Every structure is written in structure tokens, then in C-alpha cells.
Amino acid sequence: FHTLAMTDDGEVFSWGLGNHGQLGNGKEVMKQLHPNRISWKGTFNIRYMLYNPKISCGPDCTFLIPNRKNDDNPEMINLNMGGLHTSGDSFVSSTSASTGNAFNASGRQAEVRAVLDGSNSQSNYTQQIEEMRRFIAFTIPIFGNGNNSSLDSSFAVSELDLSFRPRNLPAKSREEQLRHQKLVEENRKLYLKRMKERERQKELLRQEQEKRELRISQSIPIWEHEILAKWDEKHLQKRTRQLWMQGIPPVIRGKVWSLVVGNNTCITREYYNIYVEKARIARMKLLSFQDEADDENVKAIQRDLNILGKESSIQIIDQDLERTLPNLGLFKEGSPILENLREILEAFTFCRPDVGYVQGMSYLAGVLLLYMSPYKTFVCLVNLISRLDLIPFYRVDELQLRNRFTIFRNIFYENLPTLCEHFEEEGIEPKMYVFEWFLTLYSRNFNLNVASRIWDLYMLDGHAILYKTAVAILKLTGEDLITRDFGDIIQFFNNIGSLVDDEDLLVKTINEISLPQWVDIELARLASEYLAQE
């Protein structure tokens, strides 16, 4: 299904689905969730709109937009179309047809159908196409300038059958037809108003994005020559915090994150290389016996490799590699960065055998690797996961997780009580969505720009950001969530990244979330308890 529309300014928009070029922007464009302007050839000299025609596109069904005239030949009109040709090829093109053949009273119906469904023969879609043609003709006075053109008279509203009812029912009265025509015109104007407002909002967002990018680029010299050069002195200053909140420049981000995370584990480059090699040897041995080794042989291999913890979890790393940050398409087989990611995760598995590899860890390593070298990535990954606010999630400490989910629930209720109560009525528990958000620092569910801004804030303010971000996301999507049941809410969370994609708006909302003073005290208590049990 797809829809076409033309504004009063003569611009044509399409949206919906079309696997063969029906959307008018090339046959590779198969889905448009929002209206997109079509770059047809030729100039539009008419003003009309196809008001919400829901077209059932068969494999040979296309659409057309006729121009008023052909500039080279006034007796011809331009036909712009796209879809599946009778030869089986997809196409998007502009062509011309004789006004007499295409639109005169006797030939109009057959020729329009031939253009629309790509065939001069009878089609299964003939009735649908004819209804669409009549609907378009009724909704829009297509060539309505009143001049001496045969096109005007053949599409005159007064001469059309405007009933659009099943044949067993009487036609509409003239009064009813006029009333419906008025309603259509009102809806048309309302739609155009919404389209213009949407375009205005898009333009405002574009301008804001340009301003933000300019502001960030202008801050690079300040970060490089003032803040990073005197990190211990400058990083806690008010001015630094203001720049930080605006977003760390991508070229600086890796350096800042590395400084914040630190290297409390004292990992050297040689240490990293040792674990990379140890993990490589283990992986090759484990994989060589994977299909034929029984439990005893596997245990023998593990003893030979001195595997006492969860090192054998390296066998599941390959399953996650190509699924890491899939929208970027960087971690594909054969990519050098893919091999770097594998080495980092395998080395971590041997460096922290008490944790091993946990699914979702690849997202943390993937984001870090985009901003720093493999060695720096490994250092940050080990020290980041070792933080007391993250390690319980990677070791799946049930008592710690239960207490942290309870803290989140109380913050949620304090900020969004109605939505919190709705979730509880539907049986939606924090662990169903917060666990993955915290585990991956939001990098699995949200695009890189959004995730990176969340990481910036996390590096600045620590564990509080994990909780404030989750509540901010729920606040931004609350109007949609409040009306949904259990199944719809779960499905909604699966696609939430496409709905929360404005990083500036998210940061603004995060800053609006209140966090009671007891939260820091309670999280500190949990951290102490975790250390005590180690």
C-alpha cells in the first residue's frame, strides 16, 4: 500500500510500501514511513492532490502523475510512473501520451488503466484501479482552470458519477455529493496544513542540528588545548561541564572516556597481547574439537588450557559479532574492525574468567572501538565492566539486580506515577527492559548518536544517569505506552530506538528527571555489600 499527494505548490509526495519503484524515487526504495518528495522529470503546471488514495498494488500495478502539457508538444501530456513493467523489469520513468488517446471521453478509462497496471489486457486489479481513478477525479478537479481544453471537460466534476457505493444501493443525491466534496476539500486543506507543519518542524530540526554541529566543532580547540592538556585541573570546572553537556566532539570522545574510566587494573599493552594470543590458541583448540569432542574430551582440553572459569564462553562470541551495531554495517565478515572486536572480547574472557563473555558485551566493546584503538578499547572495557554499577549485571547477581530494579521502580513512580501503575497493572516489570538498557549502556536499543550522548553523560555523572535516562525514555514515549497492553508494550520496547532518536531532546528530558537524595545513599550501600561478599 502506498499513498501519493501533491501540494498547492506542485510538489508530489509519496509514502508507504512499493517493491518495484511505485514510490517514485527509484526501484531500490521499498519503504517510506514518512512522506518524501518525488523528483519526477518535467515541470508540474497544475495544482492538485491525490487525497489519501490507498492503492492495492499488484505485481504489475504502478501509478502515474500527469503533467498539464508536454513542453515540446502541447498535444501531448507527460506521464510519470513507476512500478513493474509487463516485461518483468522494475522502472521509474517519465513518458508522453496523446491527450486524445489518453484522456478523451471514449479512450480515457482504458488508457489510464493500461498505464496504471502496465498492461493493455484485462487485469485482476481493473476494478480497483477504476475505483481509484474515479475517486481521484472526484476528489480533485484535476485540470480545473476552465480553459478550452478537452481535458477540462472530460474531468468536470459535474459530469462524474460521484456515488462510490455498491451497485445495489442508490446513488448519492446532488446535495450529498456536494457535501462530501466540501468535506474532501476541507480534509485536503487540513492535510496540506499538516504537511507544511511537518516540513517546518523538519527544517527547524535541521537548523538546530547544524547549530549543534557548529558549536561542537568550535569547541574542539578548547577541549584539545585547554581541558585535555590540563585534565586534572580543568575537568571538574563549571565551563568544562557546560561543554560536556552539549556533547563531546566525536574526535575527542575517545580521549575523554579513556581518562574518565581510567586504568585501575593497570593493564599494559603487553598484558593485552598476552591475553589476545592465549584466547586465540584456546579458540582454535576448542573449535577443532567442537563437532566430535564429548564431555570428557572437552574437560581434558580445558585442563590443558588451564581453563578454570568461564573462558570457554569464547565459543559464543562469533554469534554476536555481526549483530553488533547492525545499522552501521561496520562489523561484517572480512572487516579489519571485526577481527579487532573478536580479539578484544576473547581477551576479556580470559582476563576476567569470573565473568566470561556475556551476550550484549559486544555492544560496549563495539562503541568503544569506534572511538579509540583496540588496546585502549580493551583497557576501557575491562575497567568499565568492573565498575560497581555494572558488574552485577554481567555476573547476574540476582540479589543486587533485584535491589537495583526496586530502586528504579521507585524513581519511575516518583516521576511518572500513572505510567508506572499502568505497567504494574499489565505485568511489565523493570527487568524486562531496564536490564538490557543498563547492560549495554543503551547502545543496543538506540542509534550511535543517541547512545554516545548517553555515554557522555554517564562518564560525567556516573550511575545516576542509568536511572534518569530510563525514566526520560519512558517520559518521551509515555503517551504511546499508556494505552497499550502487555504484548504491545513489549513490542514497543523492541522498536523504541526508532522513536527516541533526537539526542538533544533526550538530554533535555534527562535533565528534567528528579532523583531523590536517598538514591545515591542506597546505591552506595549496595556497592559496599557487593564488595563485602567478594
Side-chain angles (χ1 to χ4, degrees), residues 68-84:
R68 173 61 190 273
K69 64 180 182 178
N70 183 297
D71 293 335
D72 299 325
N73 186 349
E75 298 301 318
M76 306 287 284
I77 62 169
N78 290 328
L79 300 177
N80 298 278
M81 64 196 87
L84 192 66

Side-chain angles (χ1 to χ4, degrees), residues 78-175:
N78 290 328
L79 300 177
N80 298 278
M81 64 196 87
L84 192 66
H85 196 272
T86 51
S87 64
D89 298 325
S90 296
F91 70 95
V92 176
S93 66
S94 294
T95 186
S96 298
S98 166
T99 57
N101 288 334
F103 286 99
N104 65 22
S106 61
R108 182 176 65 220
Q109 175 179 334
E111 291 297 325
V112 170
R113 184 177 71 240
V115 174
L116 284 172
D117 68 15
S119 171
N120 287 318
S121 61
Q122 290 295 319
S123 167
N124 293 331
Y125 311 101
T126 298
Q127 183 61 35
Q128 293 177 340
I129 293 168
E130 174 59 12
E131 289 297 323
M132 182 192 72
R133 185 195 68 77
R134 294 167 63 215
F135 182 70
I136 293 170
F138 158 58
T139 307
I140 313 97
I142 295 183
F143 300 104
N145 63 3
N147 294 335
N148 55 357
S149 168
S150 62
L151 300 178
D152 295 311
S153 60
S154 61
F155 277 90
V157 174
S158 60
E159 297 180 11
L160 290 170
D161 174 12
L162 307 178
S163 60
F164 302 108
R165 287 181 174 171
R167 296 177 181 178
N168 61 327
L169 297 178
K172 297 178 182 178
S173 66
R174 178 63 176 170
E175 182 182 82

Side-chain angles (χ1 to χ4, degrees), residues 5-278:
M6 176 175 277
T7 69
D8 284 342
D9 297 325
E11 291 185 317
V12 181
F13 292 81
S14 69
W15 63 97
L17 304 176
N19 294 332
H20 304 293
Q22 296 97 317
L23 295 170
N25 288 308
K27 61 186 180 181
E28 70 279 359
V29 179
M30 296 183 289
K31 180 170 69 172
Q32 290 173 181
L33 299 181
H34 304 290
N36 190 56
R37 187 169 64 85
I38 300 174
S39 301
W40 291 109
K41 297 179 181 178
T43 303
F44 289 98
N45 298 313
I46 58 174
R47 292 184 176 185
Y48 69 94
M49 163 186 168
L50 304 186
Y51 173 72
N52 195 30
K54 295 179 179 177
I55 305 170
S56 298
C57 293
D60 59 348
C61 185
T62 70
F63 58 69
L64 75 94
I65 296 291
N67 267 2
R68 173 61 190 273
K69 64 180 182 178
N70 183 297
D71 293 335
D72 299 325
N73 186 349
E75 298 301 318
M76 306 287 284
I77 62 169
N78 290 328
L79 300 177
N80 298 278
M81 64 196 87
L84 192 66
H85 196 272
T86 51
S87 64
D89 298 325
S90 296
F91 70 95
V92 176
S93 66
S94 294
T95 186
S96 298
S98 166
T99 57
N101 288 334
F103 286 99
N104 65 22
S106 61
R108 182 176 65 220
Q109 175 179 334
E111 291 297 325
V112 170
R113 184 177 71 240
V115 174
L116 284 172
D117 68 15
S119 171
N120 287 318
S121 61
Q122 290 295 319
S123 167
N124 293 331
Y125 311 101
T126 298
Q127 183 61 35
Q128 293 177 340
I129 293 168
E130 174 59 12
E131 289 297 323
M132 182 192 72
R133 185 195 68 77
R134 294 167 63 215
F135 182 70
I136 293 170
F138 158 58
T139 307
I140 313 97
I142 295 183
F143 300 104
N145 63 3
N147 294 335
N148 55 357
S149 168
S150 62
L151 300 178
D152 295 311
S153 60
S154 61
F155 277 90
V157 174
S158 60
E159 297 180 11
L160 290 170
D161 174 12
L162 307 178
S163 60
F164 302 108
R165 287 181 174 171
R167 296 177 181 178
N168 61 327
L169 297 178
K172 297 178 182 178
S173 66
R174 178 63 176 170
E175 182 182 82
E176 188 177 5
Q177 291 173 11
L178 293 174
R179 184 171 69 254
H180 287 177
Q181 194 169 358
K182 181 181 178 181
L183 289 173
V184 166
E185 178 63 16
E186 290 174 352
N187 285 332
R188 185 184 76 90
K189 290 179 179 179
L190 178 61
Y191 173 80
L192 291 177
K193 182 179 179 181
R194 289 175 178 170
M195 285 288 295
K196 288 179 180 179
E197 176 61 21
R198 182 176 293 175
E199 290 299 312
R200 188 183 73 83
Q201 291 295 333
K202 286 174 63 176
E203 178 61 19
L204 289 175
L205 287 175
R206 186 190 64 78
Q207 293 175 5
E208 286 298 318
Q209 179 73 5
E210 287 183 354
K211 289 179 182 177
R212 193 180 71 81
E213 290 176 354
L214 178 62
R215 186 170 63 247
I216 289 176
S217 66
Q218 290 174 340
S219 73
I220 292 176
I222 301 174
W223 279 100
E224 287 182 332
H225 305 304
E226 297 182 28
I227 300 173
L228 292 176
K230 301 178 181 179
W231 178 256
D232 292 337
E233 174 188 342
K234 298 282 189 178
H235 78 279
L236 294 177
Q237 292 184 353
K238 183 178 179 180
R239 186 190 183 198
T240 301
R241 182 177 180 86
Q242 290 172 342
L243 290 173
W244 206 315
M245 292 296 294
Q246 294 173 4
I248 303 173
V251 295
I252 303 295
R253 191 168 266 149
K255 297 177 183 177
V256 174
W257 290 358
S258 182
L259 286 168
V260 172
V261 174
N263 188 9
N264 292 332
T265 52
C266 300
I267 296 173
T268 63
R269 192 177 296 276
E270 291 75 17
Y271 182 95
Y272 169 61
N273 291 333
I274 288 170
Y275 277 106
V276 167
E277 182 62 18
K278 186 174 182 179

Side-chain angles (χ1 to χ4, degrees), residues 292-309:
E292 56 192 56
D294 55 26
D295 291 341
E296 289 301 320
N297 287 336
V298 170
K299 290 178 181 178
I301 295 170
Q302 291 176 340
R303 286 194 299 271
D304 182 50
L305 295 171
N306 197 28
I307 291 178
L308 302 175

